[in-house]
């Protein structure tokens, strides 16, 4: 069942939109934030939600205030992390009986972990990153990962080998440093949008199914 709803993001930002997709027999809920350049209804985000639904993982996709208002420039970090917290609360209230994971695409995932590093995110049992934006294109830095040491829950990193925002070797080192809290799932040939060259022989739908399989396998390893 798919339900459209709204919730207050922050006291000053007003309400934002959200979509709850709860398949029959759902066993988990993923609270999912979108990337910097596209809102929650981008085809990638909708495709991921559909793939997860087929594995009985519900999704609560939500807008950040800047996207809700039709602006292109993301809000400041304090507003983004406050929205993450509000979304976790709204998603939890919407389902009530499902264990929670949180995360999202690029910015959405990074702001989720940033919020969790500041203070635990309620009952969230793990965080999923659909392309962690480790650095700007062309940079050789892992500074954006510094806060991950403070995240108290398991993390799943879904990363492409052609991602210009996350050199895969550097990403591997980040995950090794996080030890047992981090799991890295590599998608060969995928860029930051998880697009792959035609010569790979894989379709975008197959990539989304691969990502959903990785999430489904990972959540089964989280202790309730």
């Amino acid at each position: 069942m798919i339900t459209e709803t709204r919730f207050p993001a922050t006291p000053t930002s007003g309400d934002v939109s959200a979509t709850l997709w709860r398949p029959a027999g759902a066993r988990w809920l993923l609270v999912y934030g979108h990337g910097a350049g596209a809102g929650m209804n981008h085809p990638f985000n909708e495709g991921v939600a559909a793939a997860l639904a087929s594995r009985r993982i519900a999704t609560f996709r939500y807008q950040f205030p800047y996207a809700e208002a039709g602006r292109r420039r993301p809000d400041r970090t304090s507003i983004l992390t406050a929205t993450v917290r509000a979304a976790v609360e709204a998603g939890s209230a919407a389902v009530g009986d499902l264990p929670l994971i949180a995360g999202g695409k690029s910015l959405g995932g990074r702001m989720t972990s940033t919020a969790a590093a500041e203070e635990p995110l309620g009952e969230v049992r793990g965080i999923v990153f659909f392309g962690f934006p480790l650095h700007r294109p062309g940079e050789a830095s892992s500074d954006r990962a510094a806060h991950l040491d403070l995240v108290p829950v398991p993390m799943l990193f879904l990363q492409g080998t052609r991602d210009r925002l996350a050199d895969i070797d550097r990403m591997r080192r980040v995950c090794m440093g996080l030890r047992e809290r981090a799991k890295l799932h590599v998608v060969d040939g995928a860029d930051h949008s998880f697009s792959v060259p035609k010569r790979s022989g894989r379709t975008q739908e197959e990539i989304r199914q691969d990502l959903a399989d990785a999430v489904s396998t990972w959540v089964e390893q989280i202790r309730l």
Side-chain angles (χ1 to χ4, degrees):
M1 182 173 66
I2 300 176
T3 306
E4 306 293 333
T5 188
R6 296 178 66 82
F7 66 93
T10 75
T12 58
S13 300
D15 290 357
V16 294
S17 302
T19 298
L20 172 64
W21 188 335
R22 180 168 184 165
R27 53 198 176 96
W28 286 86
L29 174 69
L30 168 61
V31 180
Y32 183 104
H34 59 77
M40 68 177 188
N41 293 323
H42 185 275
F44 175 83
N45 300 329
E46 292 184 336
V48 164
L52 290 172
S54 71
R55 289 154 180 80
R56 296 189 294 125
I57 299 175
T59 51
F60 186 82
R61 290 180 289 127
Y62 63 92
Q63 295 276 76
F64 286 111
Y66 77 93
E68 185 74 13
R71 299 191 302 270
R72 298 185 64 181
R73 183 175 181 178
D75 304 297
R76 62 181 183 271
T77 299
S78 60
I79 291 178
L80 296 173
T81 55
T83 303
V84 168
R85 293 188 179 282
V88 167
E89 291 181 6
S92 179
V95 297
D97 58 333
L98 296 179
L100 302 181
I101 53 177
K105 180 71 181 76
S106 194
L107 174 76
R110 185 165 72 94
M111 289 301 103
T112 301
S113 59
T114 299
E118 295 171 349
E119 184 179 348
L121 287 173
E123 296 299 316
V124 169
R125 311 293 180 86
I127 297 176
V128 183
F129 304 94
F130 291 83
F132 185 85
L134 185 60
H135 49 71
R136 293 180 177 83
E139 285 189 357
S141 171
S142 300
D143 290 348
R144 288 180 175 177
H147 71 280
L148 297 174
D149 286 332
L150 302 176
V151 176
V153 296
M155 292 169 277
L156 173 63
F157 295 84
L158 307 166
Q159 303 288 153
T161 57
R162 293 192 305 121
D163 190 340
R164 296 181 65 233
L165 274 66
D167 174 80
I168 195 63
D169 291 332
R170 190 172 292 273
M171 199 70 238
R172 286 192 175 99
R173 290 194 292 272
V174 167
C175 290
M176 289 179 61
L178 295 169
R179 302 173 70 85
E180 68 276 359
R181 282 182 297 135
K183 169 71 174 179
L184 175 63
H185 178 79
V186 176
V187 182
D188 188 49
D191 62 14
H192 191 63
S193 299
F194 290 98
S195 295
V196 294
K198 289 184 178 180
R199 65 177 180 275
S200 72
R202 305 181 74 186
T203 66
Q204 292 307 116
E205 177 59 23
E206 288 172 335
I207 296 299
R208 288 192 290 266
Q209 295 298 327
D210 176 54
L211 297 174
D213 280 339
V215 175
S216 181
T217 298
W218 175 72
V219 293
E220 290 303 316
Q221 300 169 0
I222 297 177
R223 294 182 180 180
L224 296 176

